[in-house]
Amino acid sequence: MLTALTAVAEAVLQVNVDVDLNPVANVVQSAVGSALTTLVVGAILTAVAPAFLEDRMAAVVDDPVGSFVYGFLVLIFAVLAIIVLFFTLIGIPFALGLGLLVYLVWAVGATVAFLAVADRLVDREGDDWLKPLLVAAALNGGLVLTGVGGILAFCIGAAGFGAVLEDRL
């Protein structure tokens, strides 16, 4: 019995768990992903639904605190609903679907909010969305690149999320 335990202990001690943790690379990847998501979703929104985009941007600018509170509360409710659905076997596909839906609406909302900020920073002439799109992507990526800026990027995203969902829920 003792030799079996010794053999198991030696086998466990020889396991090499080589996990490469590089926090700088992870933060940079998150920043690039955020910037690209804002750029791609913004380009799609400006091409497909510019009237909706301008309306929701105005909603973020008119009531940023109300949009943030609404978006934050809906996000908390959605996360709780996803967790509860995961506890049931039959609810797992619904939880995955709800999670994907929340992620997509969050991407649209964050893009709307960052475009609202960028539109106030740069002058958009007519239907030219290129400058605001690039500034919004740079703002989102730049904020995510820093720790405290990531919290600010979350708050801006929550305000956009709330503005997108205000008339829908």
Side-chain angles (χ1 to χ4, degrees):
M1 177 78 173
L2 186 58
T3 57
L5 288 175
T6 306
V8 169
E10 287 176 7
V12 169
L13 290 176
Q14 290 179 1
V15 172
N16 184 11
V17 179
D18 190 21
V19 177
D20 186 23
L21 293 176
N22 189 351
V24 173
N26 292 342
V27 169
V28 170
Q29 288 171 353
S30 295
V32 169
S34 297
L36 286 176
T37 300
T38 301
L39 192 62
V40 170
V41 172
I44 292 170
L45 284 174
T46 57
V48 174
F52 169 78
L53 178 62
E54 289 179 0
D55 179 53
R56 295 297 84 203
M57 285 170 54
V60 170
V61 171
D62 290 343
D63 187 20
V65 175
S67 295
F68 166 75
V69 170
Y70 188 74
F72 188 71
L73 291 176
V74 170
L75 183 66
I76 288 174
F77 175 74
V79 168
L80 288 174
I82 290 168
I83 290 170
V84 168
L85 284 171
F86 257 109
F87 281 122
T88 65
L89 290 177
I90 199 159
I92 291 175
F94 297 111
L96 292 174
L98 180 61
L100 180 63
L101 180 67
V102 167
Y103 173 75
L104 291 175
V105 175
W106 180 273
V108 169
T111 301
V112 165
F114 275 104
L115 276 171
V117 172
D119 195 39
R120 310 237 328 145
L121 293 175
V122 295
D123 227 1
R124 180 171 52 97
E125 299 151 1
D127 287 335
D128 184 26
W129 285 97
L130 183 61
K131 279 190 221 174
L133 272 173
L134 293 175
V135 170
L139 279 172
N140 196 359
L143 285 174
V144 171
L145 199 56
T146 66
V148 174
I151 296 169
L152 183 60
F154 172 79
C155 292
I156 293 171
F161 185 65
V164 168
L165 292 177
E166 271 179 339
D167 295 338
R168 308 292 181 248
L169 294 179

